[in-house]
Amino acid sequence: GAGVSQSPRYKVAKRGQDVALRCDPISGHVSLFWYQQALGQGPEFLTYFQNEAQLDKSGLPSDRFFAERPEGSVSTLKIQRTQQEDSAVYLCASSLYTGDHTYNSPLHFGNGTRLTVT
Amino acid sequence: DAKTTQPNSMESNEEEPVHLPCNHSTISGTDYIHWYRQLPSQGPEYVIHGLTSNVNNRMASLAIAEDRKSSTLILHRATLRDAAVYYCIPPIGRGGGADGLTFGKGTHLIIQP
């Protein structure tokens, strides 16, 4: 079956440009997460959706970062006025269920979007 | 929040078993222990998870210490395709009720042919 799909796979942006990164989760998955992974580091949590509700955005590094999931399926991570420090791989993950015991539900990751800001 | 400690890197030979250790001395009684791995240029991939007893699946085995302060991921017969960064993760509930996983730096597993 289809896994988590992210597009574009690579994105080069000039400093100051806005970018939009797309995530298509596995159909029926309630939870959706965005992570940022700098070179040589583990993924860092950015934000979390349960259906269309953004329940946690504590990891977003600045107000230039914005995520949405308006219909509870596809999600978009938008970065405004990109800076060089935004260069990283942005990973999306989805899982089947959320609730008191969501840690029993594995996350399924996409292969990420590699953003390079020049 | 629970913290984990893993070796930065480990090396093993192909077709030999590999034991990847993880210390999580501050884990709570209800936190599952998750293991993920990340191959080059790919997103992390779920490997296994468990709570108290040892767990097995087609990819690996997870041995959890009786006091739950440590666990060991066991690859029974490593192949070159198992070369990856392995993350041991106790989930951390966040303010909004999310259970996003928090990754550390993991263990870089090198497999020698």
Side-chain angles (χ1 to χ4, degrees):
Chain A
V4 176
S5 176
Q6 292 187 247
S7 60
R9 187 77 172 90
Y10 302 93
K11 177 69 179 178
V12 178
K14 291 187 177 179
R15 190 174 58 178
Q17 281 185 332
D18 298 348
V19 298
L21 312 179
R22 177 186 169 106
C23 173
D24 284 82
I26 294 173
S27 177
H29 277 195
V30 170
S31 300
L32 186 144
F33 302 84
W34 283 98
Y35 285 81
Q36 180 190 59
Q37 186 170 25
L39 191 63
Q41 304 295 316
E44 297 275 349
F45 171 83
L46 293 178
T47 187
Y48 161 69
F49 290 86
Q50 181 177 337
N51 294 307
E52 68 278 3
Q54 188 174 19
L55 297 187
D56 189 341
K57 51 183 180 179
S58 62
L60 296 177
S62 78
D63 59 7
R64 295 185 295 104
F65 286 71
F66 172 75
E68 61 183 5
R69 193 186 185 198
E71 296 178 0
S73 56
V74 172
S75 177
T76 303
L77 177 66
K78 298 179 179 178
I79 308 172
Q80 297 176 325
R81 303 181 305 280
T82 52
Q83 304 294 315
Q84 283 191 317
E85 61 263 28
D86 300 334
S87 296
V89 174
Y90 291 85
L91 294 162
C92 175
S94 69
S95 70
L96 184 60
Y97 173 74
T98 187
D100 288 342
H101 300 286
T102 64
Y103 32 76
N104 207 15
S105 302
L107 298 193
H108 299 261
F109 283 83
N111 285 330
T113 294
R114 180 178 295 278
L115 173 64
T116 303
V117 181
T118 61
Chain B
D1 291 350
K3 304 293 183 189
T4 61
T5 305
Q6 297 179 257
N8 289 332
S9 65
M10 289 184 64
E11 204 167 304
S12 182
N13 295 320
E14 197 176 8
E15 299 188 6
E16 288 186 356
V18 179
H19 291 235
L20 296 164
C22 179
N23 288 323
H24 31 77
S25 58
T26 59
I27 196 170
S28 78
T30 58
D31 281 342
Y32 280 75
I33 301 151
H34 289 237
W35 282 80
Y36 283 72
R37 72 179 186 181
Q38 188 171 24
L39 280 65
S41 300
Q42 294 187 22
E45 172 188 30
Y46 167 79
V47 177
I48 200 166
H49 74 285
L51 184 61
T52 54
S53 57
N54 296 343
V55 184
N56 300 291
N57 66 21
R58 65 175 181 81
M59 288 182 70
S61 296
L62 178 60
I64 302 171
E66 198 169 327
D67 63 6
R68 292 189 9 99
K69 293 185 183 301
S70 66
S71 62
T72 302
L73 180 71
I74 303 166
L75 306 179
H76 294 286
R77 196 160 166 265
T79 70
L80 295 177
R81 288 176 293 182
D82 291 321
V85 178
Y86 287 78
Y87 297 98
C88 160
I89 309 163
I92 297 172
R94 299 186 182 276
D99 292 286
L101 302 176
T102 297
F103 293 77
K105 289 192 175 180
T107 296
H108 184 198
L109 177 63
I110 300 165
I111 304 295
Q112 298 289 355

